[in-house]
Amino acid sequence: GDDDEGFDIKNAPTGPIVLGFSQVGSESGWRLANTKSIQKAAEYRDIQLRFDNAEGDQERQIAALQSYIDARVSVIAFSPVVESGWDGVLGRARDAGIPVVLTDRLIDSKDESLYVCSIGAEFVSEGNLAALYLGHDYVAAKRPIKVVEILGTPDSTPTKQRSEGFAATAAKEKKLQVVDQETGNWSKAGGAAAMRKLLRRNPDLDAVFAQNDEMGLGAVPVLEEAGREPGNKTRIVTVDATKAGLQGLVDGKLNYVVECSPVIGNLLMDVVVDLFHGGSVNKRIASEKAVFNKQSAADALPDRPY
Ligand code: GYE
């Protein structure tokens, strides 16, 4: 047939898909893997990625989002460092006709028109699983088990919802009692500092729920110095399942690690391409999860990508 079909296969008149992304920061191994997943997936999909790392600063995230509105990108996506304070800039994105996708974390606004879709883990169920597996080790206990919680950064969705999930299952299980909490700000040093405070305030603590691997691994040497035998007499459960977390399991320093996959880049790019072509997407796309113990960690470690 006629070789001039009247259209150019690759260079559609609308030009390339441009995605403006604002990342929380680089606070943990999980976050670095999340960033890599997003950058790789954009590259594979030939999507032009404008990427800003806010290093934990909400004002910087808001400025990045505003710059993407001004640049009239095709789609905006971001992981909100805290849940509140987004209505202004997201309202301006919506009024400019630019769809917004939340990745990983959520916002607490009641206005559902501020974003078209959220992609991430179910943090409440991660908390449920952490309590379920920790409680499993104490099934023979004759008294309530005193658990201390090392929290992520205040007002972030995982901090709030992992606590909520853990407490709900602990109450049901009746074996576990959360007796105290301290923030560790997602970092190893923060986890160690939190563990020292919690040990001083609760010398009779039995177990630790650290809301991510780094903070749990930071707590380990503090417990060892105090002769608390982390991973044995003092049980520790964490969330994320980074390489370091799984290694902690294999080394017998942690007891369970709940997986929260950071590898959501492909899910995000599928949504971006869909939105670019005027498709309608699901309001919520949940990522995979599982719980690792010592054996499954040993099996997974050799080819663990992050
Ligand atoms: O657990 C932690 C990161 O939002 C689920 O943020 C993410 C959390 C993750 O700093 O390692």
Side-chain angles (χ1 to χ4, degrees):
D2 171 358
D3 62 1
D4 169 12
E5 297 156 323
F7 63 90
D8 181 328
I9 289 183
K10 268 300 268 179
N11 304 316
T14 51
I17 300 178
V18 182
L19 169 64
F21 191 89
S22 165
Q23 180 61 294
V24 168
S26 19
E27 75 281 1
S28 65
W30 188 97
R31 184 64 56 200
L32 302 180
N34 180 246
T35 289
K36 196 169 151 198
S37 159
I38 289 160
Q39 291 173 334
K40 277 274 164 228
E43 197 185 304
Y44 294 156
R45 288 294 196 311
D46 213 0
I47 287 172
Q48 214 177 78
L49 176 66
R50 295 175 179 225
F51 187 89
D52 179 81
N53 181 333
E55 295 305 354
D57 178 341
Q58 180 176 26
E59 286 317 307
R60 176 154 175 184
Q61 283 203 287
I62 290 172
L65 297 178
Q66 186 59 53
S67 74
Y68 300 146
I69 295 169
D70 299 343
R72 307 206 51 69
V73 299
S74 320
V75 181
I76 287 173
F78 75 116
S79 176
V81 63
V82 290
E83 291 203 325
S84 34
W86 304 99
D87 289 38
V89 69
L90 295 187
R92 291 194 293 276
R94 178 199 52 209
D95 298 348
I98 302 174
V100 173
V101 178
L102 301 183
T103 63
D104 168 33
R105 300 185 182 175
L106 299 171
I107 62 175
D108 60 9
S109 174
K110 297 285 164 287
D111 182 353
E112 293 265 310
S113 75
L114 292 176
Y115 62 93
V116 294
C117 160
S118 71
I119 303 170
E122 300 298 323
F123 301 122
V124 174
S125 64
E126 291 169 351
N128 297 149
L129 286 169
L132 207 58
Y133 277 76
L134 190 65
H136 174 74
D137 284 2
Y138 293 100
V139 69
K142 298 274 180 291
R143 60 166 176 80
I145 297 303
K146 293 178 170 44
V147 185
V148 294
E149 198 173 358
I150 304 181
L151 306 172
T153 48
D155 196 30
S156 82
T157 311
T159 302
K160 295 163 74 169
Q161 294 190 0
R162 284 173 182 164
S163 278
E164 181 190 328
F166 190 92
T169 299
K172 221 168 59 204
E173 291 282 304
K174 298 194 182 32
K175 279 274 173 300
L176 305 177
Q177 221 172 30
V178 178
V179 294
D180 203 350
Q181 300 174 310
E182 188 65 41
T183 185
N185 290 313
W186 302 123
S187 73
K188 200 164 189 171
M195 191 67 247
R196 274 190 211 93
K197 289 181 191 148
L198 290 164
L199 255 183
R200 244 196 321 276
R201 296 201 298 255
N202 311 274
D204 57 348
L205 67 89
D206 294 299
V208 179
F209 170 37
Q211 291 190 339
N212 84 337
D213 296 344
E214 271 88 348
M215 298 191 292
L217 292 168
V220 164
V222 173
L223 290 166
E224 279 172 333
E225 281 155 30
R228 295 301 180 101
E229 296 177 38
N232 187 5
K233 247 177 35 191
T234 305
R235 318 295 275 180
I236 309 183
V237 63
T238 70
V239 186
D240 274 354
T242 55
K243 263 200 184 97
L246 299 188
Q247 191 56 52
L249 267 180
V250 168
D251 298 345
K253 305 294 183 192
L254 303 177
N255 298 96
Y256 296 103
V257 174
V258 178
E259 175 159 42
C260 168
S261 176
V263 184
I264 52 173
N266 286 333
L267 287 171
L268 172 59
M269 297 315 152
D270 290 346
V271 166
V272 169
V273 172
D274 209 334
L275 289 170
F276 182 75
H277 294 292
S280 65
V281 297
N282 292 338
K283 190 72 177 171
R284 173 70 179 162
I285 300 170
S287 54
E288 293 299 307
K289 75 177 167 302
V291 183
F292 283 93
N293 62 14
K294 187 168 183 152
Q295 186 47 52
S296 51
D299 295 349
L301 257 177
D303 48 13
R304 187 78 178 164
Y306 60 91

